[in-house]
Amino acid sequence: MSDCFENLIVQKLALLTELNDPINPSLYQTYDVKRGLRYADGRGVLVGLTQIGDVIGYDVINGEKIAVPGKLIYRGYDVEDLIKDTATHKEFGFEQTVYLLLFGELPNRRQLDEFKSYLGSRRVLPENFTEDMIMKAPSPDIMNKLARSVLASYSYDSQAEEPGVANILRQCIDLIARFSTFAAYAYQAKRRYYDGKSMYIHNPVPELSTAENFLRLIRPDKQYSLLEAEVLDLALILHAEHGGGNNSTFSIHVVSSTDTDTYSAIAAAVGSLKGRRHGGANMKVMEMMDDIKANVRHWDDRDEIRQYLRRIVRKEVFDHTGLIYGQGHAVYTISDPRAILLRDKAAELAQEKGMMVEYNLYRAIEELAPEVLAEEKKGDKKICTNVDFYSGFVYTMLNIPRELYTPIFAISRIAGWTAHRVEEVISGGRIYRPAYKNVLEPRVFVPIEQRK
């Protein structure tokens, strides 16, 4: 880049900064703007209807939000019942969850077996895809490579633009099957080209579950324990769907409403999920926990833990934002059911891995953080621990590298995304077009010869 061009960029950045000064907050009230499509009390603006999932954290009675224990609903069923059924039958449940979300009904044994068999048969990537689309252009960020793999899949589909629902379902199921392979191979390429480590490309095994296959693909020796696969399967079930209003799923509705192709819509959702405010949230939890573990000398001393959390809230330590990551949620108030279910299963894994001391530190923070936040913020807003607080710890115990945390989220949430894409195609019928109010005053045009 030439010096002249660099100077031009510096000048224009200054101009852009001046032109895009923060908008006066009072204007949002003047024009009744729902920032982030939320009301002032945090409730989301109702922009659509769905029959896929529901997130329950409060009731609204006479216009007032009343906190209730959290529930996560898939197609009318409480996710806790799905997980109990999985445990009762001693089998992996993510594939049944995918079937339910896509088709709207629980499968019988024959239907489930046939669906699992079909998913297994579609995990292998198309011929030359791994070499041409993943290995020849590796990425330091696996989410970017995942998005590219989705878009590249368009070129391997002779019916990529066919708009029929049956064809869209085929495309969705193929992507669900291949997401774990995309992510695992992207990770291996990243290891080789960016980390200088050995790369291991294993073939997926059709008979294995999504959780088993993923652990097999990312490990050099392809080995994993039953409990490890069960814990990852649970995490996949819990992250598979979260209503139509979360950012990445809403992206699916917005982009699908334009009548674009499946690959473009899913790639948009991947880009949304990559964001640190969305799918990358558990990474912030892990960074915070690294800091806590380095600065709290006695992990069993609740007073010492409480005092350090207090310093975090006061912006004295860690990243100086005043946030205790993994605490609070846009919808859940009293409890996040996903956090509870994952926390209880994590205890089993911590016992097996000899990590109960660290697990107990997490439990102590879960109990102390709401108290500290209430005391320091001097408010009565109910704060609960969310699933991001425990998911990173679980993945750590599974020896999964941090760069794969958000891709695992995508491997799971592709189930909900595709269900919402099909719903938008069938029931939407109208392109999303919200309004923005321009608050910049008109300016007198200046001819070029008169500009300074």
Side-chain angles (χ1 to χ4, degrees):
M1 187 183 297
S2 68
D3 291 343
C4 181
F5 187 72
E6 285 184 353
N7 291 335
L8 179 63
I9 291 295
V10 170
Q11 293 172 10
K12 296 311 175 188
L13 279 175
L15 180 62
L16 283 172
T17 301
E18 180 181 344
L19 187 62
N20 291 283
D21 277 343
I23 294 172
N24 189 330
S26 66
L27 291 177
Y28 290 98
Q29 296 177 346
T30 300
Y31 295 109
D32 192 26
V33 177
K34 308 299 186 291
R35 301 188 70 180
L37 290 179
R38 296 187 191 183
Y39 293 105
D41 63 1
R43 289 180 297 125
V45 174
L46 187 62
V47 297
L49 303 174
T50 184
Q51 296 182 350
I52 297 170
D54 198 9
V55 183
I56 300 171
Y58 55 81
D59 286 334
V60 178
I61 302 175
N62 297 324
E64 183 180 355
K65 286 173 62 175
I66 307 298
V68 298
K71 285 188 176 296
L72 178 58
I73 308 298
Y74 291 172
R75 293 288 191 178
Y77 298 102
D78 192 321
V79 74
E80 291 189 38
D81 293 328
L82 285 170
I83 291 166
K84 288 177 183 176
D85 182 69
T86 296
T88 299
H89 293 90
K90 292 182 170 44
E91 59 186 5
F92 298 102
F94 178 63
E95 288 71 29
Q96 177 176 225
T97 302
V98 173
Y99 187 102
L100 172 63
L101 291 172
L102 269 184
F103 301 113
E105 298 292 344
L106 290 167
N108 59 34
R109 175 55 61 187
R110 178 186 59 79
Q111 291 168 332
L112 180 58
D113 288 344
E114 289 177 352
F115 184 66
K116 288 162 67 175
S117 177
Y118 183 76
L119 276 179
S121 72
R122 305 302 294 172
R123 295 194 198 282
V124 175
L125 304 187
E127 186 175 0
N128 297 326
F129 189 102
T130 303
E131 294 81 358
D132 294 342
M133 297 300 171
I134 297 179
M135 299 304 167
K136 287 184 178 179
S139 171
D141 189 290
I142 295 166
M143 288 298 285
N144 283 75
K145 175 52 62 176
L146 185 57
R148 185 174 187 269
S149 296
V150 172
L151 289 172
S153 297
Y154 178 102
S155 301
Y156 290 76
D157 185 352
S158 61
Q159 296 178 286
E161 291 284 356
E162 166 57 44
V165 175
N167 186 57
I168 290 173
L169 268 172
R170 174 191 62 80
Q171 293 170 331
C172 289
I173 293 170
D174 277 0
L175 287 173
I176 291 168
R178 290 170 180 166
F179 251 48
S180 56
T181 312
F182 288 155
Y185 288 178
Y187 165 66
Q188 296 293 351
K190 188 256 182 187
R191 277 175 54 92
R192 168 65 179 84
Y193 292 99
Y194 288 92
D195 301 340
K197 298 179 181 178
S198 297
M199 179 174 66
Y200 301 90
I201 301 297
H202 308 311
N203 291 326
V205 175
E207 296 76 25
L208 298 181
S209 68
T210 303
E212 291 173 298
N213 259 305
F214 185 70
L215 291 174
R216 182 180 185 278
L217 291 178
I218 65 171
R219 293 181 172 177
D221 61 3
K222 300 181 281 189
Q223 301 300 307
Y224 54 88
S225 72
L226 176 60
L227 180 57
E228 286 179 321
E230 288 175 348
V231 172
L232 182 56
D233 181 70
L234 173 62
L236 294 178
I237 295 172
L238 294 175
H239 287 90
E241 159 64 3
H242 215 236
N246 69 82
N247 197 282
S248 56
T249 303
F250 184 56
S251 297
I252 282 285
H253 280 280
V254 171
V255 178
S256 292
S257 77
T258 69
D259 199 24
T260 191
D261 66 278
T262 296
Y263 303 103
S264 295
I266 299 299
V270 173
S272 165
L273 190 69
K274 181 193 173 188
R276 289 184 292 273
R277 293 179 181 175
H278 191 9
N282 58 15
M283 291 289 287
K284 292 300 295 183
V285 173
M286 296 307 295
E287 291 169 10
M288 178 188 74
M289 291 304 298
D290 287 343
D291 181 78
I292 290 173
K293 287 185 285 187
N295 290 283
V296 173
R297 295 181 59 191
H298 305 99
W299 294 0
D300 59 348
D301 187 332
R302 294 173 70 88
D303 286 336
E304 187 180 356
I305 296 169
R306 181 185 285 106
Q307 289 308 312
Y308 197 75
L309 292 176
R310 200 178 302 281
R311 294 186 66 197
I312 289 177
V313 177
R314 291 176 179 174
K315 303 181 182 181
E316 297 173 355
V317 293
F318 185 43
D319 64 358
H320 308 288
T321 62
L323 299 174
I324 301 180
Y325 295 98
Q327 304 300 315
H329 190 269
V331 179
Y332 297 125
T333 49
I334 293 176
S335 60
D336 179 343
R338 304 168 302 168
I340 294 171
L341 291 162
L342 195 59
R343 177 195 72 197
D344 293 347
K345 192 68 175 179
E348 294 181 42
L349 190 60
Q351 193 71 49
E352 180 181 275
K353 299 287 186 177
M355 297 180 67
M356 285 303 296
V357 172
E358 189 168 347
Y359 174 80
N360 288 332
L361 173 62
Y362 274 81
R363 291 288 284 120
I365 293 171
E366 177 186 6
E367 294 173 10
L368 295 171
E371 298 175 11
V372 171
L373 286 165
E375 292 168 3
E376 292 294 320
K377 301 293 185 181
K378 298 183 176 12
D380 57 0
K381 181 180 178 181
K382 295 185 181 297
I383 297 291
C384 68
T385 292
N386 63 50
V387 70
D388 294 315
F389 186 69
Y390 280 104
S391 61
F393 176 52
V394 164
Y395 301 150
T396 297
M397 290 192 290
L398 291 174
N399 200 29
I400 294 173
R402 292 187 182 182
E403 58 261 48
L404 279 169
Y405 288 6
T406 308
I408 290 174
F409 197 162
I411 291 166
S412 170
R413 187 57 61 83
I414 178 69
W417 290 341
T418 51
H420 280 274
R421 168 155 173 78
V422 172
E423 184 175 66
E424 181 63 40
V425 169
I426 294 174
S427 305
R430 192 171 186 180
I431 189 171
Y432 281 82
R433 179 58 172 86
Y436 266 69
K437 174 71 176 178
N438 175 40
V439 293
L440 182 65
E441 294 295 328
R443 297 188 288 177
V444 177
F445 184 80
V446 180
I448 191 168
E449 62 272 10
Q450 298 177 21
R451 297 174 200 163
K452 296 180 180 179

